[in-house]
Amino acid sequence: MNPIRILVLGLLVISLAAMIPSSSSETDMVKLALVDFMKKLTGPSSPAHNNISGWNMTTDPCRNEWHGVRCDTSGSVVGIYLSGFQFSGALDFESLCYVDSLSLLKLPNNTIRGSIPGGIWRCINLSILDLSNNRFAGPIPDSIWSLQNLTLLDLGDNRLSGPIPESVGELPSLMFVDLHDNQLSGPIPESIARSTDRVSGLPLRIFRAENNRLSGPIPGFDFYILSEFNVSNNDLTGPIPAQAASSGSFAADCFMGNPDLCGEPLPYSCPPPPLPSPIPSGSPGRTGLGLVMMVYGSLGVSVFSFLFRFI
């Protein structure tokens, strides 16, 4: 198995290991926030809620082990993992982030709609956020910068649009970024490339953004640090950084589908740079020199004519 996937799985196991069921109970305010979050998540016509145990005010998320909820030994909710329940509502971070002990949120393989709310900044203790394979649309909120503990961000297979915020690359602990199969546009932020070469903390190891509409050149990632990288099927241009080929870790299919991208490991090389064009005869340099010579020549004729009068 890929060593970075082992590392990511290890982080997940460690997170889940701390979320063992507890005999302690959560406060009524936390329960109310979670119940409200679930009501908005399921949507008015979704049958998903009927298949989930707990998530009501008469039971406790930790003591009664609500479905998909994990707690630490002190009885605080630290994780929510609900995959494949066909949720069709909206994501309400205002309610969810009231649970300030929450560090893991995984809601993949549902049909959650709407935008990713800017209120995500309130969940400051999140370390793992997986909203992949849903129907989120609109931009990635800039407020994601507040999630300074985030190590994994998976927003792949949605309908997100607009640019990738620079703030994503400024998250100091982020190691895994997956944005594949969206409608994201604009350049790959330099900040994300720089995050592969952090002076302190763990560097970015996985970046996936295939099947989007990204444009511009590939910035200077440290391809010796990356274990996974895929930007295929975008609108990227220019030469692939030489380090991508010299690292030996990335095949052509990581870059295919960008018509104006060139260089190894793609099978076609970049065209040579254009030669500098010769200075034309009517260029400013020559015109200026000719003008100087004409001025001095005219001056010499005038002086000679003046002196000739007195001979």
Side-chain angles (χ1 to χ4, degrees):
M1 183 182 288
N2 185 296
I4 298 305
R5 289 207 173 273
I6 294 175
L7 178 59
V8 171
L9 288 172
L11 290 172
L12 181 58
V13 168
I14 292 171
S15 299
L16 292 175
M19 303 173 193
I20 59 176
S22 171
S23 58
S24 302
S25 60
E26 267 289 11
T27 65
D28 285 342
M29 289 302 295
V30 168
K31 287 194 292 184
L32 181 62
L34 289 171
V35 169
D36 191 43
F37 165 75
M38 179 58 75
K39 286 180 180 178
K40 294 176 181 176
L41 187 66
T42 56
S45 60
S46 174
H49 200 181
N50 299 329
N51 301 322
I52 301 175
S53 59
W55 292 88
N56 56 62
M57 291 300 295
T58 60
T59 59
D60 184 83
C62 296
R63 190 173 56 215
N64 301 112
E65 300 182 28
W66 287 6
H67 193 104
V69 173
R70 296 294 181 269
C71 302
D72 63 14
T73 54
S74 67
S76 297
V77 172
V78 292
I80 296 174
Y81 187 3
L82 296 166
S83 175
F85 282 94
Q86 299 179 346
F87 296 134
S88 59
L91 192 56
D92 176 23
F93 277 118
E94 185 173 351
S95 296
L96 182 64
C97 297
Y98 185 84
V99 187
D100 56 12
S101 54
L102 191 70
S103 63
L104 180 147
L105 178 63
K106 292 175 70 72
L107 301 172
N109 309 313
N110 289 289
T111 53
I112 308 171
R113 304 168 187 272
S115 60
I116 299 176
I120 192 174
W121 67 268
R122 294 183 175 91
C123 291
I124 58 173
N125 289 315
L126 274 182
S127 61
I128 294 176
L129 177 62
D130 182 357
L131 304 178
S132 61
N133 195 19
N134 279 284
R135 296 182 183 176
F136 289 107
I140 300 172
D142 275 316
S143 57
I144 202 168
W145 181 84
S146 297
L147 308 184
Q148 294 288 294
N149 296 315
L150 202 64
T151 59
L152 182 149
L153 176 64
D154 192 346
L155 304 178
D157 201 3
N158 278 286
R159 301 171 181 177
L160 299 171
S161 59
I164 302 173
E166 283 279 350
S167 55
V168 172
E170 295 167 357
L171 296 172
S173 302
L174 197 60
M175 299 175 60
F176 181 111
V177 176
D178 192 340
L179 305 172
H180 79 276
D181 287 274
N182 280 287
Q183 300 169 20
L184 298 169
S185 58
I188 300 173
E190 291 282 349
S191 61
I192 292 182
R194 289 194 301 269
S195 66
T196 56
D197 191 23
R198 292 192 183 107
V199 176
S200 60
L202 296 172
L204 182 72
R205 302 300 297 268
I206 294 173
F207 180 73
R208 292 185 56 192
E210 66 267 29
N211 303 317
N212 279 284
R213 300 172 182 173
L214 300 174
S215 58
I218 297 175
F221 287 89
D222 188 335
F223 286 92
Y224 289 102
I225 293 293
L226 288 167
S227 64
E228 285 190 34
F229 181 85
N230 196 327
V231 292
S232 60
N233 300 314
N234 280 282
D235 296 313
L236 298 169
T237 59
I240 297 171
Q243 200 183 73
S246 62
S247 68
S249 300
F250 306 103
D253 58 4
C254 298
F255 303 92
M256 286 288 194
N258 293 279
D260 296 319
L261 205 60
C262 59
E264 295 184 3
L266 291 175
Y268 34 89
S269 59
C270 296
L275 296 173
S277 56
I279 300 175
S281 58
S283 67
R286 291 204 172 197
T287 302
L289 179 60
L291 180 62
V292 171
M293 293 180 67
M294 287 176 62
V295 169
Y296 276 101
S298 299
L299 183 59
V301 170
S302 300
V303 172
F304 181 78
S305 299
F306 177 76
L307 293 175
F308 185 74
R309 293 181 184 179
F310 299 95
I311 295 176

